[in-house]
Amino acid sequence: PADDSPPPLRLPGPGAGSYRWQLLASAGPAAEGAPSYLVGVGVALGAVRGTRLHLNALLGWSAATQHVPVQASWNDSTWTFTSADTSARAFLFELTGSRRVGAVELWAGGGVHVSMPQLQATYEVTRCTDLLCLGPTYRTTDTDAQVGSGAPGLLLSAGARLPVHERFLVGLDVRWLA
């Protein structure tokens, strides 16, 4: 402005310019082992009739675990599994559209996710004291973690964002992973 006053605060939204990059972070409750933490990046591809299109890629994981029953087929003469748990890991790819409604930015979209379980098992194992296992043996407890194969599925998402500052938004999002 000509009178040297500070410029007005420009709120982010569909009119804030094209090709906007964004960093995303989310945490919250999740059902049935779905990811409860998400981090990712996105890019706004531009606006079509006041609706901004975003392309997002996110990595998700779950802090919650689900108990997996230990089966007798897992055990042999040297390995005895005592417990096992699984938790979720996922890659999410979504296309969303957002529109400003007053100060709030509403958005909805969909895409695909690739989810895979991480299995963590505790077991007792018989170890040898020499290379050929001819000497004395001893029992010890160990834990092993493995990531399983991924399966793709449908992703639906929606939410609202409120600008706190020109480059910082706080929001609420809901995602459903098939």
Side-chain angles (χ1 to χ4, degrees), residues 40-136:
V41 296
V43 61
L45 302 174
V48 177
R49 295 185 183 171
T51 300
R52 180 184 299 267
L53 299 176
H54 302 261
L55 186 60
N56 301 324
L58 301 117
L59 171 64
W61 68 95
S62 178
T65 60
Q66 292 181 334
H67 182 70
V68 177
V70 176
Q71 299 184 16
S73 63
W74 294 8
N75 301 326
D76 62 20
S77 62
T78 59
W79 296 65
T80 304
F81 284 87
T82 56
S83 68
D85 296 308
T86 185
S87 62
R89 304 291 183 264
F91 294 101
L92 291 77
F93 305 97
E94 64 184 1
L95 179 64
T96 63
S98 65
R99 182 178 280 276
R100 288 275 306 272
V101 178
V104 177
E105 187 175 78
L106 301 175
W107 64 272
V112 296
H113 71 93
V114 177
S115 293
M116 58 218 108
Q118 177 173 339
L119 178 74
Q120 183 169 342
T122 302
Y123 55 91
E124 291 180 3
V125 62
T126 301
R127 303 254 187 224
C128 300
T129 56
D130 60 20
L131 184 61
L132 298 175
C133 206
L134 299 174

Side-chain angles (χ1 to χ4, degrees), residues 31-32 34-35 90-92 111-116 151-157 175-178:
E32 299 179 7
F91 294 101
L92 291 77
V112 296
H113 71 93
V114 177
S115 293
M116 58 218 108
L154 178 67
L155 165 67
L156 299 176
S157 55
R175 287 185 175 81
W176 178 79
L177 285 69

